[in-house]
Amino acid sequence: MAIFLGYAAATMVAVFCITHFFHRRLCCRHPLFTDYPILGMLPHLLRNMWRFQDFVTEVLKQHGGTGEFTGPWFTSMNYLVTIDPLNVHHVMSKSFHNYVKGPVFRDIFQAFGDGIFTADSETWKFNRDLFHSLFKQKSFEVFLEKTIHNKVQNSLLPVLDHVYQQGSVVDLQDVFNRFTFDNICSIVLGNDPNCLSVDFPEVEIEKAFNEAEETIFHRHVVPRCVWKLQKWLKIGQEKKMAEACIVLDEFIYSCIASKREDLSRYEENETGETFHVDLLTNLMREGKGKGEGEAHEDIFLRDAVFNLFVAGRDTLTSALTWFFWLVATNPLVEAKILEEMNEKFGSNEKTVLSAEEVKKLVYLHGAMCESLRLFPPIPFERKQALKADVLPSGHEVNPSTVILFCLYSMGRYEEIWGKDSMEFKPERWISEKRGNVYVPSYKFIAFNAGPRTCLGKDSSFVQMKMVATAILHKYHVEVVEGCIAKPNLSIVLLMKDGLKVKLTKRET
């Protein structure tokens, strides 16, 4: 009897496994890799995790730009992965309301709270309208330019001068990290922590942001049940996430409390002067928290500040780091940038150009677009379908299907950029009339696409150009021998081991 029951159980398990296997084969009609029993396609991904971005690019090119990834059985790691611009346009614009971030996305990105990056529907619309009104205020634009100008003039260039005088090697990514952190603190909080100084002080909050972002990437490549268990047990990467969130929340909530005291004192004094044009102050004055009472408003402010920090710090650090690596390793491009600066401004003694001045630099703009094409700060975008749909590529989308856009891979896709897609070629962005070429956002998606296009796109270009022209005007940047530019594994595309360089002063 026991033997019979054993055979029956084994038969049932075998039938179930075979049925499940063929069901997965039926559902996954366009697999990117071999779908192993139990483990799905995860082994392929884990074997190539050390070169994740380039591996995904190669596989997608082999499959015409779109395919399906299935994770281990009974997990939610099933994705439709695409770099087809028509699919991007369909999801991000034409059928915008059918594709959302979704609850699973918010769970993975839980550190972002209900901020603009994770929100959907009315919550997203409220956040976007609010930030749009703040960014477009003339007083804020003036404040932003003044803040950047002062930081470049009084901190960035003096630190680089010190490095040059010492003849030492410097991690330019670390310099930009500190620069953007000080900048975003000034812009969002109205307070400069002076992390960019010659003694390079350790910044705990910066480390916490990096830990949180790396954990979010980790949550994309391991089954949800695994990272949930790690979170419950407080071990591994999830332990780092928990510790990082404590540091981040303590920092942000203390800033909010301090700002409330400042505003209270200011209102009591009523001097009539114009102060406090930083974003946190403006958000508080709007008085539009998501609930009633100060505690609810503090949660809203906390989420807003966190999202602004990620948008205004890490993305700019990434963009500047990869730009300088590309320019340093392409001397002809560097020469053309300097030639354009000389043509436009001659022997201008100004060390930092204004926002209006940098907008005149067409070749520099092309070089930056080209850098963002090859190394987009946010390497992938995630969407979830609400209703069944069919993409322009012919791939069927079921309700709750998760779609991944690989922005890094899109920048290297020959179908979009031609046979020379792997070349750093600023000229592709310049017209015959010496103006900048417009490329639709569903092809050049570094700043997202459709209704969710980045609100800070224009200000980001201004900041990058002000920094780039100030450094290139004064210094030649040389990458030290042995420094390998390798992307890290995170939701923001930074260099894994930093950008080690030496500086040479230009002859005046």
PDB file of all heavy atoms in Angstrom, residues 135-136 140-141 144-145 148 187 311-312 316 355 358-359 447 454-466:
ATOM      1  N   PHE A 135       9.034  74.509 -10.483  1.00  0.00           N
ATOM      2  CA  PHE A 135      10.202  74.593 -11.360  1.00  0.00           C
ATOM      3  C   PHE A 135      10.118  75.751 -12.334  1.00  0.00           C
ATOM      4  O   PHE A 135      11.141  76.275 -12.779  1.00  0.00           O
ATOM      5  CB  PHE A 135      10.382  73.284 -12.137  1.00  0.00           C
ATOM      6  CG  PHE A 135      10.798  72.110 -11.287  1.00  0.00           C
ATOM      7  CD1 PHE A 135      10.732  70.818 -11.788  1.00  0.00           C
ATOM      8  CD2 PHE A 135      11.251  72.290  -9.994  1.00  0.00           C
ATOM      9  CE1 PHE A 135      11.113  69.727 -11.020  1.00  0.00           C
ATOM     10  CE2 PHE A 135      11.633  71.207  -9.206  1.00  0.00           C
ATOM     11  CZ  PHE A 135      11.561  69.930  -9.725  1.00  0.00           C
ATOM     12  N   LYS A 136       8.902  76.125 -12.717  1.00  0.00           N
ATOM     13  CA  LYS A 136       8.734  77.152 -13.741  1.00  0.00           C
ATOM     14  C   LYS A 136       8.709  78.577 -13.169  1.00  0.00           C
ATOM     15  O   LYS A 136       8.601  79.541 -13.927  1.00  0.00           O
ATOM     16  CB  LYS A 136       7.445  76.890 -14.539  1.00  0.00           C
ATOM     17  CG  LYS A 136       7.506  75.626 -15.389  1.00  0.00           C
ATOM     18  CD  LYS A 136       8.677  75.675 -16.371  1.00  0.00           C
ATOM     19  CE  LYS A 136       8.778  74.409 -17.206  1.00  0.00           C
ATOM     20  NZ  LYS A 136       9.948  74.432 -18.109  1.00  0.00           N
ATOM     21  N   PHE A 140      12.777  80.704  -8.943  1.00  0.00           N
ATOM     22  CA  PHE A 140      13.484  79.444  -8.744  1.00  0.00           C
ATOM     23  C   PHE A 140      14.571  79.254  -9.795  1.00  0.00           C
ATOM     24  O   PHE A 140      15.671  78.787  -9.482  1.00  0.00           O
ATOM     25  CB  PHE A 140      12.517  78.259  -8.790  1.00  0.00           C
ATOM     26  CG  PHE A 140      13.207  76.927  -8.687  1.00  0.00           C
ATOM     27  CD1 PHE A 140      13.803  76.532  -7.498  1.00  0.00           C
ATOM     28  CD2 PHE A 140      13.322  76.097  -9.794  1.00  0.00           C
ATOM     29  CE1 PHE A 140      14.475  75.309  -7.405  1.00  0.00           C
ATOM     30  CE2 PHE A 140      13.986  74.889  -9.711  1.00  0.00           C
ATOM     31  CZ  PHE A 140      14.561  74.490  -8.510  1.00  0.00           C
ATOM     32  N   GLU A 141      14.303  79.630 -11.041  1.00  0.00           N
ATOM     33  CA  GLU A 141      15.298  79.508 -12.104  1.00  0.00           C
ATOM     34  C   GLU A 141      16.532  80.358 -11.790  1.00  0.00           C
ATOM     35  O   GLU A 141      17.663  79.926 -11.990  1.00  0.00           O
ATOM     36  CB  GLU A 141      14.686  79.916 -13.450  1.00  0.00           C
ATOM     37  CG  GLU A 141      13.615  78.955 -13.953  1.00  0.00           C
ATOM     38  CD  GLU A 141      13.005  79.409 -15.265  1.00  0.00           C
ATOM     39  OE1 GLU A 141      13.397  80.499 -15.754  1.00  0.00           O
ATOM     40  OE2 GLU A 141      12.151  78.689 -15.811  1.00  0.00           O
ATOM     41  N   LEU A 144      18.381  78.704  -8.894  1.00  0.00           N
ATOM     42  CA  LEU A 144      19.089  77.506  -9.343  1.00  0.00           C
ATOM     43  C   LEU A 144      20.410  77.878 -10.005  1.00  0.00           C
ATOM     44  O   LEU A 144      21.473  77.315  -9.674  1.00  0.00           O
ATOM     45  CB  LEU A 144      18.209  76.727 -10.321  1.00  0.00           C
ATOM     46  CG  LEU A 144      18.801  75.450 -10.900  1.00  0.00           C
ATOM     47  CD1 LEU A 144      18.930  74.382  -9.825  1.00  0.00           C
ATOM     48  CD2 LEU A 144      17.922  74.921 -12.040  1.00  0.00           C
ATOM     49  N   GLU A 145      20.367  78.825 -10.924  1.00  0.00           N
ATOM     50  CA  GLU A 145      21.593  79.224 -11.632  1.00  0.00           C
ATOM     51  C   GLU A 145      22.619  79.826 -10.667  1.00  0.00           C
ATOM     52  O   GLU A 145      23.810  79.515 -10.740  1.00  0.00           O
ATOM     53  CB  GLU A 145      21.270  80.235 -12.737  1.00  0.00           C
ATOM     54  CG  GLU A 145      22.513  80.665 -13.507  1.00  0.00           C
ATOM     55  CD  GLU A 145      22.222  81.668 -14.614  1.00  0.00           C
ATOM     56  OE1 GLU A 145      21.041  81.993 -14.834  1.00  0.00           O
ATOM     57  OE2 GLU A 145      23.199  82.133 -15.248  1.00  0.00           O
ATOM     58  N   ILE A 148      24.280  77.007  -8.563  1.00  0.00           N
ATOM     59  CA  ILE A 148      25.259  76.229  -9.338  1.00  0.00           C
ATOM     60  C   ILE A 148      26.522  77.055  -9.579  1.00  0.00           C
ATOM     61  O   ILE A 148      27.652  76.572  -9.404  1.00  0.00           O
ATOM     62  CB  ILE A 148      24.656  75.782 -10.681  1.00  0.00           C
ATOM     63  CG1 ILE A 148      23.430  74.906 -10.447  1.00  0.00           C
ATOM     64  CG2 ILE A 148      25.682  75.019 -11.510  1.00  0.00           C
ATOM     65  CD1 ILE A 148      22.540  74.767 -11.645  1.00  0.00           C
ATOM     66  N   ILE A 187      19.503  73.439  -3.156  1.00  0.00           N
ATOM     67  CA  ILE A 187      18.315  73.679  -3.975  1.00  0.00           C
ATOM     68  C   ILE A 187      17.036  73.205  -3.287  1.00  0.00           C
ATOM     69  O   ILE A 187      16.012  73.885  -3.315  1.00  0.00           O
ATOM     70  CB  ILE A 187      18.474  73.002  -5.354  1.00  0.00           C
ATOM     71  CG1 ILE A 187      19.601  73.675  -6.141  1.00  0.00           C
ATOM     72  CG2 ILE A 187      17.174  73.045  -6.151  1.00  0.00           C
ATOM     73  CD1 ILE A 187      20.084  72.865  -7.326  1.00  0.00           C
ATOM     74  N   ALA A 311      16.581  62.361  -8.088  1.00  0.00           N
ATOM     75  CA  ALA A 311      16.506  62.969  -9.418  1.00  0.00           C
ATOM     76  C   ALA A 311      17.618  63.983  -9.648  1.00  0.00           C
ATOM     77  O   ALA A 311      18.184  64.058 -10.743  1.00  0.00           O
ATOM     78  CB  ALA A 311      15.147  63.644  -9.602  1.00  0.00           C
ATOM     79  N   GLY A 312      17.944  64.768  -8.625  1.00  0.00           N
ATOM     80  CA  GLY A 312      18.878  65.867  -8.810  1.00  0.00           C
ATOM     81  C   GLY A 312      20.302  65.583  -8.404  1.00  0.00           C
ATOM     82  O   GLY A 312      21.195  66.389  -8.653  1.00  0.00           O
ATOM     83  N   LEU A 316      22.714  63.308 -12.172  1.00  0.00           N
ATOM     84  CA  LEU A 316      23.708  64.267 -12.657  1.00  0.00           C
ATOM     85  C   LEU A 316      25.130  63.759 -12.428  1.00  0.00           C
ATOM     86  O   LEU A 316      26.013  63.970 -13.254  1.00  0.00           O
ATOM     87  CB  LEU A 316      23.515  65.617 -11.972  1.00  0.00           C
ATOM     88  CG  LEU A 316      22.337  66.451 -12.486  1.00  0.00           C
ATOM     89  CD1 LEU A 316      22.130  67.680 -11.620  1.00  0.00           C
ATOM     90  CD2 LEU A 316      22.565  66.868 -13.937  1.00  0.00           C
ATOM     91  N   ALA A 355      23.860  80.561 -17.601  1.00  0.00           N
ATOM     92  CA  ALA A 355      22.923  79.631 -18.223  1.00  0.00           C
ATOM     93  C   ALA A 355      22.662  80.004 -19.673  1.00  0.00           C
ATOM     94  O   ALA A 355      22.608  79.137 -20.563  1.00  0.00           O
ATOM     95  CB  ALA A 355      21.613  79.604 -17.437  1.00  0.00           C
ATOM     96  N   VAL A 358      25.851  79.074 -21.911  1.00  0.00           N
ATOM     97  CA  VAL A 358      26.085  77.655 -22.232  1.00  0.00           C
ATOM     98  C   VAL A 358      25.058  77.110 -23.208  1.00  0.00           C
ATOM     99  O   VAL A 358      25.316  76.115 -23.916  1.00  0.00           O
ATOM    100  CB  VAL A 358      26.121  76.780 -20.953  1.00  0.00           C
ATOM    101  CG1 VAL A 358      27.288  77.184 -20.063  1.00  0.00           C
ATOM    102  CG2 VAL A 358      24.801  76.825 -20.196  1.00  0.00           C
ATOM    103  N   LYS A 359      23.897  77.745 -23.289  1.00  0.00           N
ATOM    104  CA  LYS A 359      22.875  77.301 -24.239  1.00  0.00           C
ATOM    105  C   LYS A 359      23.296  77.528 -25.684  1.00  0.00           C
ATOM    106  O   LYS A 359      22.732  76.946 -26.607  1.00  0.00           O
ATOM    107  CB  LYS A 359      21.553  78.024 -23.970  1.00  0.00           C
ATOM    108  CG  LYS A 359      20.841  77.570 -22.692  1.00  0.00           C
ATOM    109  CD  LYS A 359      19.579  78.367 -22.443  1.00  0.00           C
ATOM    110  CE  LYS A 359      18.920  77.940 -21.139  1.00  0.00           C
ATOM    111  NZ  LYS A 359      17.701  78.754 -20.836  1.00  0.00           N
ATOM    112  N   PHE A 447      15.610  60.903 -20.677  1.00  0.00           N
ATOM    113  CA  PHE A 447      14.796  61.736 -19.789  1.00  0.00           C
ATOM    114  C   PHE A 447      13.349  61.246 -19.736  1.00  0.00           C
ATOM    115  O   PHE A 447      12.427  62.008 -19.490  1.00  0.00           O
ATOM    116  CB  PHE A 447      14.834  63.197 -20.258  1.00  0.00           C
ATOM    117  CG  PHE A 447      16.173  63.843 -20.092  1.00  0.00           C
ATOM    118  CD1 PHE A 447      17.079  63.865 -21.151  1.00  0.00           C
ATOM    119  CD2 PHE A 447      16.558  64.403 -18.882  1.00  0.00           C
ATOM    120  CE1 PHE A 447      18.331  64.459 -21.006  1.00  0.00           C
ATOM    121  CE2 PHE A 447      17.803  64.990 -18.728  1.00  0.00           C
ATOM    122  CZ  PHE A 447      18.692  65.014 -19.791  1.00  0.00           C
ATOM    123  N   CYS A 454      10.911  63.843 -17.937  1.00  0.00           N
ATOM    124  CA  CYS A 454      11.540  64.511 -16.795  1.00  0.00           C
ATOM    125  C   CYS A 454      11.304  66.020 -16.808  1.00  0.00           C
ATOM    126  O   CYS A 454      11.592  66.702 -17.794  1.00  0.00           O
ATOM    127  CB  CYS A 454      13.036  64.224 -16.806  1.00  0.00           C
ATOM    128  SG  CYS A 454      13.965  65.056 -15.517  1.00  0.00           S
ATOM    129  N   LEU A 455      10.791  66.538 -15.690  1.00  0.00           N
ATOM    130  CA  LEU A 455      10.538  67.974 -15.566  1.00  0.00           C
ATOM    131  C   LEU A 455      11.839  68.778 -15.494  1.00  0.00           C
ATOM    132  O   LEU A 455      11.863  69.961 -15.821  1.00  0.00           O
ATOM    133  CB  LEU A 455       9.714  68.246 -14.310  1.00  0.00           C
ATOM    134  CG  LEU A 455       8.237  67.819 -14.345  1.00  0.00           C
ATOM    135  CD1 LEU A 455       7.638  67.886 -12.945  1.00  0.00           C
ATOM    136  CD2 LEU A 455       7.441  68.673 -15.312  1.00  0.00           C
ATOM    137  N   GLY A 456      12.909  68.142 -15.054  1.00  0.00           N
ATOM    138  CA  GLY A 456      14.180  68.851 -14.875  1.00  0.00           C
ATOM    139  C   GLY A 456      15.139  68.706 -16.040  1.00  0.00           C
ATOM    140  O   GLY A 456      16.336  68.983 -15.893  1.00  0.00           O
ATOM    141  N   LYS A 457      14.636  68.306 -17.208  1.00  0.00           N
ATOM    142  CA  LYS A 457      15.506  68.076 -18.365  1.00  0.00           C
ATOM    143  C   LYS A 457      16.328  69.309 -18.717  1.00  0.00           C
ATOM    144  O   LYS A 457      17.559  69.245 -18.825  1.00  0.00           O
ATOM    145  CB  LYS A 457      14.663  67.643 -19.563  1.00  0.00           C
ATOM    146  CG  LYS A 457      15.471  67.435 -20.841  1.00  0.00           C
ATOM    147  CD  LYS A 457      14.577  67.012 -21.992  1.00  0.00           C
ATOM    148  CE  LYS A 457      15.371  66.870 -23.288  1.00  0.00           C
ATOM    149  NZ  LYS A 457      14.513  66.438 -24.418  1.00  0.00           N
ATOM    150  N   ASP A 458      15.679  70.447 -18.896  1.00  0.00           N
ATOM    151  CA  ASP A 458      16.390  71.663 -19.312  1.00  0.00           C
ATOM    152  C   ASP A 458      17.391  72.131 -18.259  1.00  0.00           C
ATOM    153  O   ASP A 458      18.528  72.497 -18.582  1.00  0.00           O
ATOM    154  CB  ASP A 458      15.391  72.783 -19.610  1.00  0.00           C
ATOM    155  CG  ASP A 458      14.541  72.492 -20.837  1.00  0.00           C
ATOM    156  OD1 ASP A 458      14.980  71.681 -21.676  1.00  0.00           O
ATOM    157  OD2 ASP A 458      13.445  73.062 -20.955  1.00  0.00           O
ATOM    158  N   SER A 459      16.973  72.102 -16.987  1.00  0.00           N
ATOM    159  CA  SER A 459      17.881  72.543 -15.923  1.00  0.00           C
ATOM    160  C   SER A 459      19.059  71.583 -15.762  1.00  0.00           C
ATOM    161  O   SER A 459      20.167  71.995 -15.397  1.00  0.00           O
ATOM    162  CB  SER A 459      17.127  72.688 -14.601  1.00  0.00           C
ATOM    163  OG  SER A 459      16.625  71.448 -14.158  1.00  0.00           O
ATOM    164  N   SER A 460      18.841  70.297 -16.062  1.00  0.00           N
ATOM    165  CA  SER A 460      19.939  69.320 -15.986  1.00  0.00           C
ATOM    166  C   SER A 460      21.009  69.635 -17.016  1.00  0.00           C
ATOM    167  O   SER A 460      22.210  69.592 -16.718  1.00  0.00           O
ATOM    168  CB  SER A 460      19.400  67.903 -16.213  1.00  0.00           C
ATOM    169  OG  SER A 460      18.534  67.516 -15.181  1.00  0.00           O
ATOM    170  N   PHE A 461      20.589  69.949 -18.235  1.00  0.00           N
ATOM    171  CA  PHE A 461      21.554  70.305 -19.274  1.00  0.00           C
ATOM    172  C   PHE A 461      22.328  71.563 -18.889  1.00  0.00           C
ATOM    173  O   PHE A 461      23.546  71.642 -19.094  1.00  0.00           O
ATOM    174  CB  PHE A 461      20.843  70.527 -20.613  1.00  0.00           C
ATOM    175  CG  PHE A 461      20.681  69.275 -21.435  1.00  0.00           C
ATOM    176  CD1 PHE A 461      19.431  68.798 -21.771  1.00  0.00           C
ATOM    177  CD2 PHE A 461      21.792  68.579 -21.881  1.00  0.00           C
ATOM    178  CE1 PHE A 461      19.282  67.648 -22.533  1.00  0.00           C
ATOM    179  CE2 PHE A 461      21.668  67.421 -22.644  1.00  0.00           C
ATOM    180  CZ  PHE A 461      20.401  66.956 -22.968  1.00  0.00           C
ATOM    181  N   VAL A 462      21.633  72.552 -18.336  1.00  0.00           N
ATOM    182  CA  VAL A 462      22.302  73.791 -17.924  1.00  0.00           C
ATOM    183  C   VAL A 462      23.370  73.495 -16.867  1.00  0.00           C
ATOM    184  O   VAL A 462      24.510  73.969 -16.961  1.00  0.00           O
ATOM    185  CB  VAL A 462      21.287  74.817 -17.391  1.00  0.00           C
ATOM    186  CG1 VAL A 462      21.998  75.966 -16.678  1.00  0.00           C
ATOM    187  CG2 VAL A 462      20.430  75.365 -18.533  1.00  0.00           C
ATOM    188  N   GLN A 463      23.015  72.698 -15.853  1.00  0.00           N
ATOM    189  CA  GLN A 463      23.969  72.367 -14.796  1.00  0.00           C
ATOM    190  C   GLN A 463      25.181  71.628 -15.355  1.00  0.00           C
ATOM    191  O   GLN A 463      26.325  71.957 -15.029  1.00  0.00           O
ATOM    192  CB  GLN A 463      23.288  71.503 -13.737  1.00  0.00           C
ATOM    193  CG  GLN A 463      22.234  72.237 -12.923  1.00  0.00           C
ATOM    194  CD  GLN A 463      21.639  71.348 -11.844  1.00  0.00           C
ATOM    195  OE1 GLN A 463      22.346  70.943 -10.919  1.00  0.00           O
ATOM    196  NE2 GLN A 463      20.366  71.048 -11.944  1.00  0.00           N
ATOM    197  N   MET A 464      24.936  70.627 -16.201  1.00  0.00           N
ATOM    198  CA  MET A 464      26.040  69.848 -16.759  1.00  0.00           C
ATOM    199  C   MET A 464      26.971  70.720 -17.607  1.00  0.00           C
ATOM    200  O   MET A 464      28.192  70.585 -17.544  1.00  0.00           O
ATOM    201  CB  MET A 464      25.500  68.687 -17.591  1.00  0.00           C
ATOM    202  CG  MET A 464      24.855  67.590 -16.772  1.00  0.00           C
ATOM    203  SD  MET A 464      24.463  66.107 -17.737  1.00  0.00           S
ATOM    204  CE  MET A 464      23.147  66.705 -18.795  1.00  0.00           C
ATOM    205  N   LYS A 465      26.381  71.612 -18.392  1.00  0.00           N
ATOM    206  CA  LYS A 465      27.200  72.468 -19.260  1.00  0.00           C
ATOM    207  C   LYS A 465      28.008  73.478 -18.457  1.00  0.00           C
ATOM    208  O   LYS A 465      29.163  73.766 -18.797  1.00  0.00           O
ATOM    209  CB  LYS A 465      26.302  73.188 -20.263  1.00  0.00           C
ATOM    210  CG  LYS A 465      25.711  72.278 -21.327  1.00  0.00           C
ATOM    211  CD  LYS A 465      24.708  73.037 -22.188  1.00  0.00           C
ATOM    212  CE  LYS A 465      23.984  72.129 -23.151  1.00  0.00           C
ATOM    213  NZ  LYS A 465      22.937  72.843 -23.920  1.00  0.00           N
ATOM    214  N   MET A 466      27.424  74.022 -17.396  1.00  0.00           N
ATOM    215  CA  MET A 466      28.171  74.965 -16.563  1.00  0.00           C
ATOM    216  C   MET A 466      29.365  74.290 -15.906  1.00  0.00           C
ATOM    217  O   MET A 466      30.457  74.861 -15.825  1.00  0.00           O
ATOM    218  CB  MET A 466      27.235  75.590 -15.514  1.00  0.00           C
ATOM    219  CG  MET A 466      26.211  76.556 -16.099  1.00  0.00           C
ATOM    220  SD  MET A 466      25.029  77.200 -14.881  1.00  0.00           S
ATOM    221  CE  MET A 466      26.076  78.290 -13.910  1.00  0.00           C
TER     222      MET A 466
END
